[in-house]
Amino acid sequence: QTQLLGVLLAAASNILISVSLNIQKCAHLRLVCQAEQKPCYMSKLWWCGITLLGLGEVGNFTAYGFAPIALVAPLGCVSVIGSAFISVFFLKKTMRTADILGGTLTITGIYLLVTFTPNVPQELTARQVQNYLVSWPFLVYSILEITIFCILLYFYKKKAVKHIMVLLMMVALLASLTVIAVKAVSSMIALSVKGKMQLTYSVFYIMSILMATSCAFQIKFLNQAMHLYEATAVVPINFVFFTTSAIISGAIFYQEFQSAALLSVFMFLFGCFLSSLGVIIVARNKKDEHLQITFIDCEHIPGQKLTGKIQPDSHSSCYGTLNKEDDLVKRQS
C-alpha cells in the first residue's frame, strides 16, 4: 500500500512537471509575440508554470520515501511522454504517429514496472543508512564510480573532450549518488513526521549535503550538454543513462533486488527497456521548431511602406536586404 502511494505520487508529480514545462513554453511564446518585450518573470503564466514545476519536484522527492528507487526513477518517462501529448493542447501541435507509438510502448513498460517491481520494506531508519554506507558492495561500487568519474573529468577538463556521451555519463554517475541520498533523506523525514525522530543523526545531514552537492554538479554538466547538443539527442540518452544508474545504485546500496525472483527481474528490466524505447521514439522524431513568419515587418523603418518586407536571403551571409538597397547595389555594379 505504501509502495502504491509512492507510484501514484511519482506519476502525478511527473505529469505536473510536463504541464509546467508546456505552460512555461507557452508563456515564452506569448512574450515573444508582444510588441513590448518583457522578461519572463513579469508573466503570471510563467510563474504558474514555475510553481507547478516546484510542486512536481517536491512530489518526486517525497515519492522516494514510499517506493523503491528502481520504480520511481523510470517513472520519469511520464514527464517526457506527457509533455508530448499535453503540447497538443497548450502549443497547438499536431499528434504524430511517433507520439502514439512511443506513448503505447511507455504505458506498457510502466505497467510491467509497477507489476514486477521489487517489494522491499520502505521504512528506512538512520541506522540502516549508516550500515548501508559502510557495506562492502557499496564501498566497491563507490571506488569504481569515483575512478570512472575522475577519468571522464580528466578528459573533459584537460583534453577538452565534450562529447555528449562523456557529459551525460558524468551526469548519470552523479545522479546515482543523488537518488541514493534523496531516498535516504526523504525516508528519514517521513519517519520523523510519523513520530520516529531521525533528524538527530549525523547521517541525515551527511546525506543532505551529498544530495545538494551531487545535484548541483549534475545540473552543471546537463546544462553544458543542452548548450552543445540538440534536446532531441540529450533527452533520450540522459533518460536511459539516468534510469540505468539509478536502478544499479538502488540494487547495490539498498539491495532492492535481493529477494526478487529471476522472472520478476527480467520482466522489470523488459519494462524499463520498453519505457526507454518509447522515450527515444518520441524525442528523436521531433523536428526543430521554426517561426511561422518568414519576414520582418517594415512598419518601424523610415521610408518603407507597411507592406514592405525584408525577405531572408539564403545565399548571403546577411539575413536580408531592403529593396532600395538592392537597387543601389545594382547601380554601383
Side-chain angles (χ1 to χ4, degrees), residues 4 11 15 41 44 54 66 77 97 148 181 203 207 211 224 226-227 261 263 267 274 278 284 289 303 316 321 330:
L4 179 61
I15 291 173
Y41 57 80
K44 293 181 180 179
F66 296 99
C77 64
T97 306
I148 295 173
V203 69
M207 298 304 277
M211 177 182 68
Q224 180 76 21
M226 290 294 289
H227 177 70
L263 178 62
M267 294 304 293
L274 289 180
R284 293 288 290 180
E289 296 179 4
S316 175
T321 55
K330 287 178 180 178

Side-chain angles (χ1 to χ4, degrees), residues 50-78:
I50 289 294
T51 303
L52 290 178
L53 180 63
L55 290 174
E57 294 297 347
V58 170
N60 258 335
F61 173 80
T62 309
Y64 279 102
F66 296 99
I69 291 175
L71 181 58
V72 177
L75 286 178
C77 64
V78 174

Side-chain angles (χ1 to χ4, degrees), residues 153 156 170-171 174 217-225:
L153 190 63
Y156 173 76
M170 288 194 291
V171 170
L174 290 167
F217 282 101
Q218 182 184 337
I219 293 171
K220 177 186 183 300
F221 291 119
L222 185 57
N223 284 338
Q224 180 76 21

Side-chain angles (χ1 to χ4, degrees), residues 139-151:
L139 292 176
V140 172
Y141 174 74
S142 300
I143 293 171
L144 183 62
E145 183 174 276
I146 291 170
T147 303
I148 295 173
F149 184 82
C150 289
I151 293 172

Side-chain angles (χ1 to χ4, degrees), residues 80-278:
V80 180
I81 301 300
S83 183
F85 285 91
I86 293 170
S87 64
V88 175
F89 302 98
F90 277 97
L91 305 176
K92 308 300 180 183
K93 293 185 178 180
T94 55
M95 183 69 69
R96 304 169 304 145
T97 306
D99 295 332
I100 298 172
L101 176 60
T104 303
L105 290 173
T106 303
I107 291 171
T108 306
I110 290 173
Y111 173 77
L112 293 176
L113 287 172
V114 175
T115 305
F116 295 98
T117 189
N119 191 12
V120 293
Q122 295 307 313
E123 284 203 351
L124 189 64
T125 64
R127 290 191 180 278
Q128 285 177 310
V129 174
Q130 289 175 347
N131 293 334
Y132 288 143
L133 277 173
V134 295
S135 63
W136 70 264
F138 178 67
L139 292 176
V140 172
Y141 174 74
S142 300
I143 293 171
L144 183 62
E145 183 174 276
I146 291 170
T147 303
I148 295 173
F149 184 82
C150 289
I151 293 172
L152 293 173
L153 190 63
Y154 169 78
F155 282 103
Y156 173 76
K157 287 288 187 181
K158 300 295 183 181
K159 302 294 184 180
V161 177
K162 296 183 180 179
H163 192 273
I164 186 172
M165 301 298 285
V166 173
L167 290 168
L168 294 183
M169 279 183 70
M170 288 194 291
V171 170
L173 292 172
L174 290 167
S176 65
L177 297 178
T178 303
V179 294
I180 287 173
V182 165
K183 181 169 179 60
V185 172
S186 179
S187 300
M188 285 188 276
I189 291 176
L191 276 179
S192 299
V193 171
K194 292 178 182 178
K196 302 176 183 179
M197 181 53 65
Q198 305 292 314
L199 308 186
T200 55
Y201 291 87
S202 59
V203 69
F204 172 79
Y205 301 98
I206 292 172
M207 298 304 277
S208 297
I209 293 171
L210 177 63
M211 177 182 68
T213 306
S214 60
C215 187
F217 282 101
Q218 182 184 337
I219 293 171
K220 177 186 183 300
F221 291 119
L222 185 57
N223 284 338
Q224 180 76 21
M226 290 294 289
H227 177 70
L228 295 174
Y229 300 96
E230 295 291 335
T232 52
V234 175
V235 170
I237 297 174
N238 182 59
F239 175 77
V240 173
F241 280 11
F242 169 77
T243 304
T244 304
S245 67
I247 291 172
I248 292 173
S249 61
I252 293 174
F253 190 86
Y254 294 109
Q255 302 171 9
E256 292 180 345
F257 290 92
Q258 190 175 22
S259 57
L262 184 61
L263 178 62
S264 297
V265 174
F266 173 78
M267 294 304 293
F268 177 84
L269 294 177
F270 185 61
C272 290
F273 170 75
L274 289 180
S275 300
S276 301
L277 185 61

Side-chain angles (χ1 to χ4, degrees), residues 33-45:
C33 293
Q34 291 178 358
E36 183 182 353
Q37 296 298 311
K38 295 180 180 179
C40 57
Y41 57 80
M42 297 292 289
S43 169
K44 293 181 180 179
L45 189 63

